[in-house]
């Protein structure tokens, strides 16, 4: 289990690095939108490339940030129901959701989208709009984003199993590893026992 928890921490570091990096894409998209609006109003000149790069950046933030969102437990939950359940029941629901829904969905999306990326790359597919951008980079965000989500889902699955077996802290807390990037080998077990005593 310790080796699996080490793997989980490595995946978490990757998700954290990507999540904290893509935040800057929001600023870039905002600046591009501002410049585009000023040019259009001041000089009556528009650019489809400027418009398309904005939704490329939005797609990058949304898709590449999905794993980081999962790690931070910031995704949508039906809290009005789940908060009424015992903690272990919530963990089991998460495990079933990851195994039977999230991971199969990631596999399907990667398998479905990758041929489209390769076809667009081989053909040099361009936007149908005048002055638009090449398409394959934004298509590639789909398999890459779902691959990152699958990785983080694996990490979350490990953390939930570790909690149930008394080897890790409550993964439903922010960050999953006790709110710290690194958790010592002794801390997870004590956190789990504290949680058990609290119940």
């Amino acid at each position: 289990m310790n080796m699996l928890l080490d793997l989980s921490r490595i995946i978490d570091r990757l998700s954290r690095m990507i999540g904290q990096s893509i935040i800057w894409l929001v600023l870039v998209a905002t600046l591009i939108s501002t410049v585009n609006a000023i040019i259009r109003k001041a000089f009556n000149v528009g650019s489809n490339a400027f418009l398309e790069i904005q939704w490329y950046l939005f797609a990058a933030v949304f898709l590449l940030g999905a794993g980081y969102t999962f790690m931070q437990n910031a995704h949508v939950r039906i809290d009005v129901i789940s908060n009424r359940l015992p903690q272990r029941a919530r963990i089991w629901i998460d495990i079933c959701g990851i195994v039977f829904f999230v991971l199969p969905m990631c596999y399907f999306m990667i398998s479905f989208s990758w041929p489209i990326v390769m076809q667009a790359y081989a053909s040099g597919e361009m936007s149908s709009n005048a002055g638009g951008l090449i398409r394959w980079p934004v298509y590639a965000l789909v398999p890459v984003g779902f691959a990152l989500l699958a990785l983080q889902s694996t990490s979350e699955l490990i953390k939930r199993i570790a909690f149930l077996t008394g080897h890790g802290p409550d993964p439903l807390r922010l960050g999953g590893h006790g709110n710290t990037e690194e958790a010592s080998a002794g801390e997870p077990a004590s956190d789990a026992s504290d949680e058990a005593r609290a119940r």
Side-chain angles (χ1 to χ4, degrees), residues 168-180:
D170 179 0
L172 297 183
R173 292 185 303 178
L174 181 65
H177 283 299
N179 290 330
T180 60

Side-chain angles (χ1 to χ4, degrees), residues 21-31 57 61:
S21 298
I22 62 173
I23 290 172
W24 293 100
L25 297 183
V26 177
L27 175 61
V28 173
T30 303
L31 293 175
L57 292 171
V61 171

Side-chain angles (χ1 to χ4, degrees), residues 66-198:
Y68 180 70
T69 302
F70 196 0
M71 184 187 76
Q72 295 295 317
N73 288 312
H75 54 292
V76 175
R77 288 181 180 273
I78 308 176
D79 289 333
V80 68
I81 297 175
S82 64
N83 284 345
R84 298 172 184 268
L85 299 174
Q87 188 69 352
R88 293 180 72 87
R90 296 175 67 192
I91 296 294
W92 274 110
I93 289 172
D94 278 2
I95 289 174
C96 291
I98 291 169
V99 172
F100 295 110
F101 294 99
V102 179
L103 289 175
M105 178 192 66
C106 290
Y107 174 78
F108 171 79
M109 292 301 296
I110 293 168
S111 300
F112 178 78
S113 61
W114 185 248
I116 297 174
V117 175
M118 296 308 296
Q119 181 180 358
Y121 177 79
S123 65
E125 181 181 344
M126 298 289 295
S127 168
S128 59
N129 298 316
L133 302 175
I134 194 167
R135 284 292 196 226
W136 73 263
V138 74
Y139 291 167
L141 291 172
V142 176
V144 172
F146 277 97
L148 292 172
L149 178 58
L151 270 178
Q152 188 58 45
S153 298
T154 302
S155 172
E156 298 304 317
L157 182 61
I158 292 169
K159 287 183 277 192
R160 280 152 179 76
I161 293 172
F163 174 75
L164 290 177
T165 58
H167 292 90
D170 179 0
L172 297 183
R173 292 185 303 178
L174 181 65
H177 283 299
N179 290 330
T180 60
E181 183 173 347
E182 297 289 343
S184 67
E187 288 173 346
S190 63
D191 285 349
S193 62
D194 290 344
E195 180 67 28
R197 283 195 295 271

